[in-house]
Amino acid sequence: MVNDTTLLLGLDGLVAERVELDVTGVPVVNLSTGCEQARCCPQCGQRALKVKQWTTTRPRDLPVGGRMVQLRWRKRRWYCPTPACPRKSFTEQVAQVPARARLTSRLRQAAGAAVADAGRTIVQAARDHGVSWPVVAAAFTAHASAVLPAEPEPVAVLGIDEVRRGKPHWTWDEQAASWTVTADRWHVGFCDLSGGQGLLAQVEGRTTAAVTAWLTARSQAWREQVQAVAIDMCTVFKSAIRQVLPHAVLVVDHFHVVQVRREVLCFREGCKDPPPGCRSSSVKLAAA
């Protein structure tokens, strides 16, 4: 039977039996299963008749009425009635609290929306919702995947640049008898510079193969729409563009052109006090 507390809590399929306070004054909501569909085996769909055991879970949820609450769900583990079903037994689950979930679905969705819509960082959203940052990162990915198109719209001016993310990870390859990279510290980002799509994709690795793989995954019609590609003075990007987008105009960011020109002048003039970021000292050392 649905009571006022159940309606206030708003977790479909769960019934609030009673609310009590723990020793610290935090409300503890005791829940039971109110959805008959939870008795159906998720593998074969048959309705279970025999209870195997009872179990209690404590999923974390959003604040209710501005106060943090604790959920205590006492639910049943059922025997599957189908002899041939490989599941054998299963625990009750509802949409807001899937099987083996430690968080309610709405808490995950709120954490992802805080990053996507409210402009918070992943770390800040994790602190605000009391979860770890990997949980928020996964929630943000799920939130973005639901609203972003499967394929980017055509782009007239494409921007390509790299970003450094952490440290590389290596593993020993027994067959090749050498170390191979399992996690590259460099990622390559693709941006729409002429439209409003912003960041189109980010792929791991700063290699010609990584760039060409993403570009060739787009349709031929999409690639033909690209009129110009803006890059820094990286031969990896230049090689990839010449292979996949030979018709596109290759544009180098003027910042890098000015930077290299400044370094050449410093080297030629024998600058004794190069400005910050100038690599003329390393150029002199290499020439020596």
Side-chain angles (χ1 to χ4, degrees):
M1 180 178 179
V2 178
N3 52 44
D4 294 341
T5 306
T6 301
L7 294 175
L8 180 63
L9 188 63
L11 289 174
D12 293 337
L14 298 179
V15 177
E17 298 292 343
R18 67 183 186 278
V19 180
E20 54 192 23
L21 299 178
D22 65 5
V23 294
T24 62
V26 176
V28 179
V29 183
N30 293 273
L31 303 171
S32 63
T33 306
C35 178
E36 285 296 319
Q37 186 64 29
R39 295 181 59 174
C40 298
C41 175
Q43 189 82 16
C44 64
Q46 294 298 316
R47 187 174 182 271
L49 302 174
K50 185 178 179 181
V51 177
K52 181 178 181 179
Q53 66 184 43
W54 289 82
T55 183
T56 301
T57 60
R58 295 172 174 80
R60 301 172 65 179
D61 192 25
L62 291 170
V64 178
R67 299 176 65 186
M68 295 300 300
V69 298
Q70 294 182 7
L71 303 181
R72 184 185 296 162
W73 181 17
R74 190 167 186 263
K75 57 183 180 178
R76 293 161 290 190
R77 176 177 289 275
W78 297 91
Y79 283 107
C80 179
T82 307
C85 181
R87 191 62 180 261
K88 302 302 179 184
S89 66
F90 61 93
T91 305
E92 293 174 337
Q93 59 177 313
V94 295
Q96 278 295 334
V97 189
R100 297 180 296 276
R102 297 184 178 182
L103 309 175
T104 61
S105 297
R106 65 187 183 186
L107 175 56
R108 290 182 180 273
Q109 293 169 359
V115 179
D117 302 330
R120 303 185 204 175
T121 65
I122 290 179
V123 174
Q124 185 61 49
R127 292 172 181 169
D128 294 342
H129 292 85
V131 296
S132 62
W133 72 263
V135 170
V136 179
F140 168 66
T141 301
H143 183 91
S145 300
V147 297
L148 291 177
E151 287 291 329
E153 296 294 327
V155 174
V157 181
L158 180 66
I160 303 178
D161 201 1
E162 76 274 7
V163 60
R164 182 174 176 176
R165 292 176 56 87
K167 298 180 180 179
H169 296 276
W170 304 76
T171 56
W172 178 257
D173 190 340
E174 295 290 346
Q175 296 182 350
S178 63
W179 290 92
T180 59
V181 178
T182 57
D184 200 314
R185 65 175 178 172
W186 293 103
H187 284 205
V188 174
F190 300 85
C191 300
D192 180 7
L193 299 182
S194 59
Q197 298 184 80
L199 181 65
L200 304 175
Q202 185 169 302
V203 299
E204 185 177 356
R206 186 180 56 173
T207 62
T208 301
V211 178
T212 57
W214 188 85
L215 291 174
T216 53
R218 312 281 75 76
S219 65
Q220 180 64 30
W222 191 94
R223 296 196 298 268
E224 290 177 352
Q225 294 292 325
V226 180
Q227 302 174 9
V229 181
I231 63 173
D232 57 16
M233 303 182 73
C234 178
T235 57
V236 169
F237 300 155
K238 176 183 177 182
S239 176
I241 296 305
R242 287 293 175 249
Q243 293 180 34
V244 185
L245 303 174
H247 63 281
V249 176
L250 200 59
V251 181
V252 177
D253 188 346
H254 71 279
F255 167 81
H256 298 283
V257 177
V258 173
Q259 183 185 45
V260 172
R261 180 61 178 173
R262 184 186 62 181
E263 293 171 1
V264 171
L265 290 176
C266 287
F267 175 69
R268 289 182 177 178
E269 299 296 331
C271 181
K272 297 181 180 180
D273 187 19
C278 181
R279 293 172 291 181
S280 61
S281 299
S282 59
V283 173
K284 293 180 181 179
L285 183 61

